[in-house]
Amino acid sequence: MPAPRITLVDVARLAGVHTATASRALNPATRGQVSESTATRVAEAAKALNYQPNRMARGLRTNRTFTVGVLIPDITNPLFPPIVRGIEDALAPAGYTALLANSDNDPETERLHVETMLARQVDGLIMATARRSDPLVEHVAASGVPVVLVNRRSEDDRIPSVVPDDGKGIRLAVRHLVSLGHARIAHVAGPLHVSTGMARHRAFLEAMREEALEPDEELIAFARWFTVEEGARAFRALLPTNGRFTAVVTANDLIAIGCYDVMAEQGLRCPEDLSITGYNDIPLLDKLRPSLTTVRLEHYELGATAANLLLEPAADASTSARTILVEPTLVVRGSTMSLARAAEAPTRSSRR
Amino acid sequence: MPAPRITLVDVARLAGVHTATASRALNPATRGQVSESTATRVAEAAKALNYQPNRMARGLRTNRTFTVGVLIPDITNPLFPPIVRGIEDALAPAGYTALLANSDNDPETERLHVETMLARQVDGLIMATARRSDPLVEHVAASGVPVVLVNRRSEDDRIPSVVPDDGKGIRLAVRHLVSLGHARIAHVAGPLHVSTGMARHRAFLEAMREEALEPDEELIAFARWFTVEEGARAFRALLPTNGRFTAVVTANDLIAIGCYDVMAEQGLRCPEDLSITGYNDIPLLDKLRPSLTTVRLEHYELGATAANLLLEPAADASTSARTILVEPTLVVRGSTMSLARAAEAPTRSSRR
DNA sequence: CAAGAGCCTGCAATCGATTGCATGCGCCTA
DNA sequence: TAGGCGCATGCAATCGATTGCAGGCTCTTG
């Protein structure tokens, strides 16, 4: 037996007032317009009936749904749960709820989900799917619906975004390896069509030069995606340079794990034969063997900041949209070791 | 410049018909009520204007939002992303979108989120937060909003649910260990107030008896939550029984990882000193050292099945609500080894 | 004491789409 | 040719809450 929904009419009747008065009494912003006595009477009636305003009817009139669309590539990628959690925790206190959708990085799926969300009249959109040049993002921004990018940014810097300081993060990794005595450092980059991939790649080149080391083109490989499989595939391309490098900076933890797999398969030891760094510090890395040295990002904070940026009273258009950089830190674990100590290790196992 | 939203009025005007006609032409269910020529004319007008019906206005009239609330304990627990993904992938083709909320297993937070979702007029609710006896679940079910439980079930079996076959899963683990020659098997159980914790615990006792092994009370510890920390704490309580057991069946992968931590701290080797099994097969377990033998569940399927169960045309009330069991499989990895081979291993390292 | 100011409250329109009912038109049949 | 049937369409009410406007009341002030 579906319980009959309580409407404002019921509350007004019980309190002996007009629905308009009841509405004003219940809305904090208009509470001052009614006398204190009626306000409390209405409030009591609402409580007695356990009244829950129909957000849809309200939204129809006010043109606000208190709903935010969140579009990510894939929630099963361990990078995203903390971001989503941060977003939701920041939205909830403001009365907003998140609509979640996964796109698998497919532009057509993205477009579809965005259309659906706009049809649902979301009050804003948080996108973690942006490519460096992304027509969909521009389309949404132009449509007037507030949008904030998270983790990845667009090259169009009019779009507000909250992203990791990739330059700083990669520099931390490179300096760490250099301080351990490494000079021949390889690099497995991520996809260059997204900002994180490109920024980390560029940062690697710059950081090397800052350390007076000329990056060697043959020691750079590109993964087409931030996945274990692509990391493995890309890393394999570096193997023929046998011995030309003693350390690897990767663009992402999953790519680093792909390197682990290939090393195991090739009989190479980490960190004795090769030091490796990751990026992001996803969960469980500390339980790997060896535990992975990586650049840590507070993904929860990344999401929460993005949500808050979206909720902020839209600063006047003159205020150029902000790009907020989140500070990374280096987490040193077992996958990197000093070149000197590595040399003392028992003979490197031969490749098969 | 916020683009002016296109409404049905605009479409009707362009097509030269009344809004009612336009509405019927656009709705597949009522398409037959208008002539074919106007139907196509309206469709063309809609396409030309890129018309997107306002879901809120529609929902107000039809009392359907094509929205489903999904309540989980915590999306950052690796167990849940695949479930959520399965749910969303099953909902999307039917035109439904998921509203996601995290409760951290806090009853008050759960209640709050459920109220919010009901106020948003969700068409249904999928809950992964159920306790064995859960007033909130009963309240929702009684309110007439369709509910499906996922992963955990309620003792009230009138509530439809999709859960792992815990009895079978634990039996697989126990038999595997027994087949490896283990007889003194310890057990780190999960929280007994949720169905998964209780069912796995009971299943352990039964499975042992089926193997003609009497479970030893002193070799059973209880984690209060499915977390690494609680797993470690509970396992530590078993240490004083020094040597009384050669294998451990845990109720969950995170608990198993907690055991790993304590073993490392105590200088115990896995699997030489102790074989361990987990439950769920969350990502990256295969990269651990040793890789974890565990009971695998298709969490994606768990979520997708739950969503489909919710979408199913509500069978008449006489059809007793269904509880669907999802089949587990055993994934044998490096954390379990035959007792005989373990005996051949170099001397067990002493405890500190 | 009358007029004005200010505070509460009610009236009614409104948001955009859906849908029961009524109407008009064309066509078939007797 | 008139009566009748049915299809296609328009009219208008409706979902539930919000809000501009107007009206009534009280209280103050010249």
Side-chain angles (χ1 to χ4, degrees):
Chain A
M1 62 216 82
R5 272 207 79 73
I6 305 292
T7 76
L8 192 57
V9 179
D10 303 313
V11 176
R13 193 186 309 128
L14 180 59
V17 296
H18 192 266
T19 57
T21 307
S23 172
R24 284 188 269 255
L26 259 19
N27 184 338
T30 51
R31 171 96 26 96
Q33 296 176 30
V34 306
S35 73
E36 190 146 346
S37 69
T38 45
T40 59
R41 197 148 34 89
V42 171
E44 277 164 17
K47 193 160 304 168
L49 297 174
N50 189 26
Y51 169 67
Q52 293 287 106
N54 184 325
R55 327 260 315 210
M56 223 167 358
R58 170 185 295 169
L60 182 57
R61 184 62 221 259
T62 60
N63 240 329
R64 306 192 57 191
T65 54
F66 283 91
T67 277
V68 169
V70 178
L71 188 60
I72 60 176
D74 180 12
I75 190 69
T76 65
N77 178 332
L79 179 64
F80 295 107
I83 294 182
V84 169
R85 186 68 209 262
I87 290 173
E88 299 198 339
D89 285 359
L91 290 180
Y96 285 81
T97 305
L99 281 173
L100 189 66
N102 301 275
S103 77
D104 287 322
N105 283 312
D106 174 49
E108 182 52 21
T109 307
E110 282 170 23
R111 203 188 54 70
L112 221 65
H113 281 307
V114 165
E115 292 301 338
T116 306
M117 288 176 169
L118 293 182
R120 287 183 186 281
Q121 322 285 124
V122 293
D123 293 339
L125 222 40
I126 297 180
M127 300 175 69
T129 56
R131 270 164 285 274
R132 287 198 298 130
S133 162
D134 196 324
L136 184 61
V137 168
E138 317 237 332
H139 166 69
V140 173
S143 83
V145 176
V147 69
V148 171
L149 305 183
V150 68
N151 191 46
R152 305 177 183 173
R153 46 172 302 204
S154 152
E155 240 157 31
D156 180 345
D157 53 12
R158 289 168 308 179
I159 319 268
S161 34
V162 181
V163 296
D165 188 337
D166 287 317
K168 186 155 181 181
I170 289 294
R171 213 172 298 133
L172 286 172
V174 170
R175 284 194 193 150
H176 167 62
L177 290 172
V178 170
S179 77
L180 289 177
H182 295 274
R184 290 170 298 157
I185 304 178
H187 175 47
V188 181
L192 300 186
H193 63 282
V194 300
S195 68
T196 45
M198 180 57 104
R200 290 172 201 171
H201 174 51
R202 286 202 184 129
F204 173 77
L205 300 179
E206 282 171 24
M208 288 290 279
R209 296 197 178 108
E210 280 172 24
E211 300 295 329
L213 297 169
E214 191 53 28
D216 179 344
E217 240 180 56
E218 291 188 7
L219 297 185
I220 299 180
F222 296 88
R224 284 170 299 203
W225 298 104
F226 289 116
T227 62
V228 174
E229 294 72 23
E230 268 299 304
R233 189 195 58 77
F235 181 63
R236 231 176 241 119
L238 298 179
L239 292 179
T241 70
N242 190 351
R244 293 255 313 269
F245 57 99
T246 61
V248 186
V249 169
T250 70
N252 165 286
D253 293 331
L254 295 178
I255 289 177
I257 291 175
C259 297
Y260 270 30
D261 288 353
V262 173
M263 287 186 69
E265 158 198 320
Q266 299 286 327
L268 291 167
R269 295 161 308 165
C270 178
E272 293 85 354
D273 297 332
L274 220 43
S275 286
I276 296 194
T277 67
Y279 204 109
N280 277 335
D281 197 21
I282 60 176
L284 292 188
L285 291 186
D286 55 325
K287 313 288 186 200
L288 296 188
R289 182 68 159 216
S291 54
L292 183 65
T293 294
T294 192
V295 176
R296 176 170 181 74
L297 272 170
E298 294 299 332
H299 292 103
Y300 180 92
E301 185 198 335
L302 206 66
T305 306
N308 286 324
L309 191 56
L310 186 69
L311 294 182
E312 243 174 39
D316 55 323
S318 64
T319 310
S320 63
R322 278 182 288 167
T323 291
I324 298 181
L325 291 183
V326 173
E327 289 285 296
T329 54
L330 186 71
V331 181
V332 177
R333 298 207 183 94
S335 68
T336 51
M337 97 188 286
S338 120
L339 200 52
R341 280 190 46 220
E344 292 167 12
T347 321
R348 172 178 180 155
S349 47
S350 64
R351 298 199 186 161
R352 301 157 206 171
Chain B
M1 61 218 83
R5 274 207 77 74
I6 306 289
T7 75
L8 191 57
V9 179
D10 303 313
V11 176
R13 193 185 309 128
L14 180 59
V17 297
H18 193 266
T19 57
T21 308
S23 171
R24 285 187 267 254
L26 258 19
N27 184 338
T30 52
R31 171 98 23 99
Q33 295 177 30
V34 306
S35 74
E36 191 146 346
S37 70
T38 47
T40 59
R41 196 149 33 89
V42 170
E44 277 163 18
K47 193 161 304 172
L49 297 174
N50 190 25
Y51 167 69
Q52 292 288 105
N54 184 324
R55 306 275 214 140
M56 220 165 359
R58 169 184 296 171
L60 181 58
R61 186 62 222 259
T62 59
N63 243 327
R64 305 194 57 189
T65 55
F66 283 90
T67 276
V68 169
V70 178
L71 188 61
I72 60 176
D74 179 12
I75 190 70
T76 65
N77 178 333
L79 179 63
F80 295 108
I83 294 182
V84 169
R85 186 71 208 262
I87 290 174
E88 300 199 338
D89 285 359
L91 290 181
Y96 285 81
T97 305
L99 280 173
L100 188 66
N102 301 275
S103 77
D104 287 321
N105 283 311
D106 175 49
E108 184 52 23
T109 307
E110 281 170 23
R111 204 188 53 72
L112 221 65
H113 281 305
V114 165
E115 292 301 338
T116 306
M117 288 176 169
L118 293 183
R120 288 183 186 282
Q121 322 284 123
V122 293
D123 293 338
L125 221 41
I126 297 180
M127 300 175 69
T129 57
R131 271 164 285 275
R132 286 199 297 131
S133 162
D134 197 324
L136 184 62
V137 168
E138 318 238 331
H139 167 69
V140 173
S143 83
V145 176
V147 188
V148 171
L149 305 183
V150 68
N151 191 44
R152 304 177 184 174
R153 46 172 302 203
S154 152
E155 241 158 29
D156 181 345
D157 53 12
R158 287 168 310 179
I159 320 269
S161 32
V162 181
V163 296
D165 188 338
D166 288 317
K168 184 155 183 183
I170 289 293
R171 211 172 299 134
L172 286 173
V174 170
R175 283 193 193 152
H176 167 63
L177 290 172
V178 170
S179 78
L180 289 177
H182 295 273
R184 290 169 299 156
I185 304 177
H187 175 46
V188 182
L192 300 186
H193 63 282
V194 299
S195 68
T196 45
M198 179 58 103
R200 290 172 202 171
H201 174 52
R202 286 203 184 128
F204 173 76
L205 301 179
E206 282 171 24
M208 287 290 279
R209 296 199 177 108
E210 281 172 21
E211 299 296 328
L213 297 169
E214 189 54 28
D216 179 344
E217 242 180 58
E218 291 187 6
L219 296 186
I220 299 180
F222 295 89
R224 284 170 299 202
W225 298 104
F226 289 116
T227 63
V228 174
E229 294 72 24
E230 269 299 304
R233 189 194 60 75
F235 181 63
R236 234 178 237 115
L238 298 179
L239 292 179
T241 69
N242 190 349
R244 293 253 314 267
F245 58 98
T246 61
V248 186
V249 169
T250 68
N252 165 286
D253 293 331
L254 296 177
I255 289 177
I257 291 175
C259 297
Y260 270 30
D261 288 354
V262 173
M263 287 186 70
E265 158 199 321
Q266 299 286 326
L268 290 167
R269 296 162 307 166
C270 178
E272 293 84 355
D273 297 334
L274 219 45
S275 286
I276 296 194
T277 67
Y279 203 108
N280 277 334
D281 197 21
I282 61 176
L284 292 189
L285 290 186
D286 55 325
K287 313 288 185 198
L288 296 188
R289 183 67 159 216
S291 55
L292 183 65
T293 293
T294 192
V295 176
R296 175 169 183 76
L297 272 170
E298 294 300 332
H299 292 103
Y300 180 92
E301 185 198 334
L302 207 65
T305 307
N308 286 325
L309 191 55
L310 186 69
L311 294 181
E312 241 174 39
D316 55 322
S318 63
T319 309
S320 60
R322 278 182 290 167
T323 292
I324 298 181
L325 291 183
V326 173
E327 289 285 295
T329 53
L330 186 71
V331 181
V332 177
R333 298 207 184 94
S335 68
T336 49
M337 96 187 285
S338 119
L339 200 54
R341 278 190 49 219
E344 293 166 11
T347 319
R348 171 178 180 156
S349 47
S350 64
R351 299 201 186 158
R352 300 157 201 165

